[in-house]
Structure formats: C-alpha cells, structure tokens
C-alpha cells in the first residue's frame, strides 16, 4: 500500500500560470482533503470531499478549484497562480468524514 | 478567538524529562480530539485520538481531555531527541465533517 501519494513534490510557477496538483489514495477511503500549510498558520483546509461526487469549500478556497475524479483521486487546480499561494500543500484522506486523517508527502509550491 | 489554540513554542526539554503540550478549543460541542506529530519537512502523522474526559495512555504518550474546561493536552514521558518535532492539536468542528487544526507547538528535546 502506497497510502496517499501526491505529485509533483516541488513546483515553481510564475504569477498567472495555472497548474493542477494530483492526489491519490489506495486505502478505499471515502473522504479526501486539501490543506495548505504556511509558517505560523498551521494547516488550513482549502477544499474537501466527504464522499465521491461531493466537494465543499473549506477555510481558504479562493483561487482554487477541485475535482473528485473518482473514489481514489482528488485534484487541486490553481487557475491563475499568485505569490500568496506560495505554500506547502498536503492532501489527506480518511475512511469517513471526519476521522483520523492520513497525509500525503506534500507539494512545495513557489509562485514568483 | 481562534477555534483551536496551542501553547506558543518553541518548547525545549532535556532528554528524559516530561514534555507537556497544551491545546484549547472554542467549540463546546466538539467531541473528537487528535494529536499529530510533524517532523520538519514531512507530513503530519497521528499519535493519538481521544474522545472521552480523562486520560488515555499509549506507551510514553498520554492524552488528557477536559471538556468542561475545553482543554486537551499531550504528555510525553522520558522524552527522546527523536521526539523533536511540531505537535498539532486537531478538533472536529461544529459541522462534524472536517477537522480543525491548531497552529502547532514546536518541541525540541535536548540530549
């Protein structure tokens, strides 16, 4: 079992560029989450999907979109990157919402 | 007031000592509480969960919950240098469908 995987691990973008962060889990979990982590701010929820076919906004959704492609995959898209989106992004999954969460390795994104 | 607050760090303790990490939360109806450990440059991993008032022990770790005081703590006995990490307190919020994380407390165990 790979658990939760994320791609890419690192990314540098220029302001205005777009990109999609990919996340997949092989634990047959129903719920998936996207967080960003900034120094001194802890983990902040961007979007979550309580179950396949549903998505909801978290604390900081502006500038992001998500797609729950199937039960395994949950992607995060930045349509027009801004320097304020420079952060470490974590994907997580749980058997149900809410429950113990299992995190991916993270994506370190820098927007210039 | 933030929904989940933790004692500001960094916290430094000598090897072998007890490390005490504290967390308060604002939502009185919260029922589930978690402690995650995050090593520098890594992702968070669950240490313990606690749902009832009182103490819950797992090896060197003890979680303590007091719902009346809206307070949850983590004690690490016989602290080791390998315990040096940031500890995140997490609480299930009012909407019951997501977890709210505190800002974390950085712990350093000095050999």
């Amino acid at each position: 079992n790979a658990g939760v995987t994320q791609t890419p691990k690192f990314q540098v973008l220029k302001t205005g560029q777009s990109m999609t962060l990919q996340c997949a889990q092989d634990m047959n979990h129903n719920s998936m989450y996207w967080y960003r982590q900034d120094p001194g701010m802890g983990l902040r929820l961007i979007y979550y999907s309580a179950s396949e076919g549903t998505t909801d906004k978290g604390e900081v959704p502006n500038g992001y979109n998500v797609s729950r492609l199937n039960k395994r995959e949950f992607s995060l898209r930045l349509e027009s990157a801004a320097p304020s989106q420079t952060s470490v992004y974590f994907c997580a999954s749980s058997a149900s919402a809410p429950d113990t969460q299992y995190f991916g390795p993270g994506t370190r994104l820098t927007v210039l | 007031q933030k929904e989940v607050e933790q004692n500001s760090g960094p916290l430094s303790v000598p090897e072998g000592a007890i490390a005490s990490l504290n967390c308060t939360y604002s939502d009185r109806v919260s029922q589930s509480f978690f402690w995650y450990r995050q090593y520098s440059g890594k992702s968070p991993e669950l240490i313990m969960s606690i749902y009832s008032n009182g103490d819950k022990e797992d090896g060197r770790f003890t979680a303590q919950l007091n719902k009346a005081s809206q307070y949850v703590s983590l004690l690490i006995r016989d602290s080791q240098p390998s315990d040096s990490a940031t500890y995140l307190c997490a609480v299930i919020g009012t909407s019951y469908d997501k977890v709210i994380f505190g800002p974390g407390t950085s712990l350093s165990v000095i050999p």
Side-chain angles (χ1 to χ4, degrees):
Chain A
N1 278 355
V4 180
T5 57
Q6 292 182 236
T7 56
K9 286 186 170 52
F10 300 93
Q11 184 70 51
V12 178
L13 294 177
K14 294 182 180 178
T15 296
Q17 287 184 318
S18 62
M19 79 162 295
T20 298
L21 280 64
Q22 306 287 353
C23 174
Q25 52 90 10
D26 63 2
M27 295 176 282
N28 200 36
H29 284 171
N30 289 308
S31 304
M32 299 185 73
Y33 309 82
W34 276 106
Y35 293 92
R36 60 178 289 172
Q37 187 173 40
D38 304 292
M41 301 292 290
L43 286 163
R44 292 186 291 169
L45 183 65
I46 304 171
Y47 271 93
Y48 66 101
S49 172
S51 60
E52 186 179 357
T54 68
T55 60
D56 285 286
K57 295 179 180 179
E59 181 185 356
V60 288
N62 290 347
Y64 305 95
N65 284 301
V66 291
S67 295
R68 183 74 184 265
L69 304 169
N70 47 55
K71 190 171 185 178
R72 291 186 63 249
E73 299 173 289
F74 189 38
S75 63
L76 178 72
R77 183 162 177 83
L78 286 69
E79 291 291 353
S80 179
S84 61
Q85 293 177 306
T86 292
S87 188
V88 180
Y89 291 85
F90 288 103
C91 177
S93 71
S94 63
S96 61
D99 198 351
T100 300
Q101 297 191 6
Y102 297 84
F103 287 82
T107 294
R108 188 172 297 274
L109 175 67
T110 301
V111 183
L112 302 175
Chain B
Q1 180 189 5
K2 292 183 180 177
E3 292 185 77
V4 180
E5 300 196 54
Q6 297 184 240
N7 49 331
S8 58
L11 176 65
S12 291
V13 300
E15 183 174 355
I18 296 175
S20 177
L21 303 161
N22 303 318
C23 174
T24 58
Y25 57 95
S26 60
D27 189 345
R28 286 189 168 275
V29 302
S30 297
Q31 296 294 323
S32 302
F33 308 87
F34 307 86
W35 281 102
Y36 287 81
R37 177 177 61 200
Q38 185 176 23
Y39 291 114
S40 180
K42 301 296 185 182
S43 55
E45 56 180 346
L46 181 75
I47 299 175
M48 293 187 71
S49 58
I50 186 167
Y51 306 98
S52 304
N53 278 331
D55 296 358
K56 179 181 179 181
E57 189 174 317
D58 183 1
R60 295 186 297 111
F61 299 92
T62 299
Q64 299 175 318
L65 175 61
N66 183 326
K67 291 184 181 179
S69 300
Q70 294 174 240
Y71 174 94
V72 58
S73 66
L74 180 70
L75 300 177
I76 306 175
R77 291 182 301 282
D78 189 23
S79 295
Q80 301 297 309
S82 59
D83 294 325
S84 297
T86 295
Y87 290 80
L88 304 170
C89 173
V91 176
I92 292 179
T94 306
S95 64
Y96 299 111
D97 61 359
K98 53 183 179 287
V99 178
I100 301 170
F101 286 85
T105 299
S106 175
L107 172 67
S108 180
V109 180
I110 311 300

